[in-house]
Amino acid sequence: MILLELFLSFLQIGAFSFGGGYAAMPLIQAQVVIKYGWLTMEEFTNLITIAEMTPGPIAVNSATFVGTKIAGVPGALVATMGCILPSCIIVTLIASLYLKYRNLSLMQGILGSLRPAVVAMIASAGISILITAFWGSSAAIALADTNWDLVVIFILCIVLLQKCKMNPILVMVLAGVMKVVVDVVVGFL
């Protein structure tokens, strides 16, 4: 039964996550944290971090990790298949339609109307992650409960990415090193 639930959950995620892996994060959160309770919000945030750092699409990596946690290797296979099946079908259909009708203004209008929805889904995922990182899984935003170490690391990472044009992978590694250094320094105090 759990394998069927995993497959159907990630089939829904795969079918409705337009815009890539980041856009799928709110849908994955709704299924694995809220609906089924397979992960806590803190585990979900860790999952996103791991899925981002490993090679491959974020949504597929997330499906694989959730499936493994819930039902081992069979769960990983079922969740991953559920996640990629809709994309395979939809992309094949859309590619054939796009090649046939790519010059129609209606096609360009449809594609243009999807962009704001994708941006909103990505922003929603980012805000959820920031809230969890800065204030914990309680989602109660209070200045006194802010994790200032992570806020400073976040700001430094933004500066490194935007102003210094640093490689995102290097920035992730540096963020991890900064957090370890902060924890060691705080541990000595």
Side-chain angles (χ1 to χ4, degrees):
M1 190 63 172
I2 192 74
L3 293 177
L4 181 61
E5 287 177 345
L6 276 169
F7 179 78
L8 293 176
S9 292
F10 281 98
L11 185 71
Q12 287 177 351
I13 291 164
F16 297 109
S17 58
F18 296 99
Y22 292 114
M25 288 300 121
L27 300 174
I28 295 172
Q29 179 185 358
Q31 290 289 322
V32 303
V33 176
I34 297 167
K35 184 174 181 181
Y36 290 105
W38 290 327
L39 300 177
T40 65
M41 191 59 195
E42 188 171 334
E43 289 173 322
F44 177 71
T45 303
N46 293 338
L47 165 82
I48 294 168
T49 303
I50 292 168
E52 172 68 30
M53 291 174 51
T54 53
I58 295 168
V60 174
N61 290 346
S62 298
T64 305
F65 292 135
V66 170
T68 301
K69 183 180 185 303
I70 302 306
V73 174
L77 293 172
V78 165
T80 303
M81 286 303 298
C83 189
I84 65 171
L85 182 63
S87 296
C88 291
I89 294 168
I90 292 170
V91 167
T92 302
L93 293 173
I94 289 176
S96 65
L97 288 173
Y98 182 74
L99 290 174
K100 189 173 182 178
Y101 300 111
R102 68 178 157 227
N103 295 326
L104 290 177
S105 62
L106 177 63
M107 178 68 77
Q108 296 305 317
I110 290 170
L111 293 174
S113 67
L114 289 176
R115 287 183 194 113
V118 169
V119 171
M121 291 176 78
I122 293 170
S124 172
I127 291 168
S128 287
I129 293 167
L130 281 177
I131 289 171
T132 302
F134 295 165
W135 294 282
S137 59
S138 66
I141 299 173
L143 194 58
D145 295 332
T146 303
N147 187 337
W148 291 107
D149 300 338
L150 295 180
V151 171
V152 170
I153 291 171
F154 173 76
I155 292 169
L156 288 172
C157 290
I158 293 293
V159 169
L160 291 173
L161 288 167
Q162 295 296 314
K163 298 291 182 193
C164 301
K165 304 294 184 205
M166 221 177 211
N167 184 312
I169 295 172
L170 181 58
V171 172
M172 285 192 303
V173 170
L174 287 174
V177 169
M178 285 188 275
K179 178 62 174 149
V180 168
V181 168
V182 167
D183 287 347
V184 168
V185 169
V186 169
F188 282 124
L189 298 178

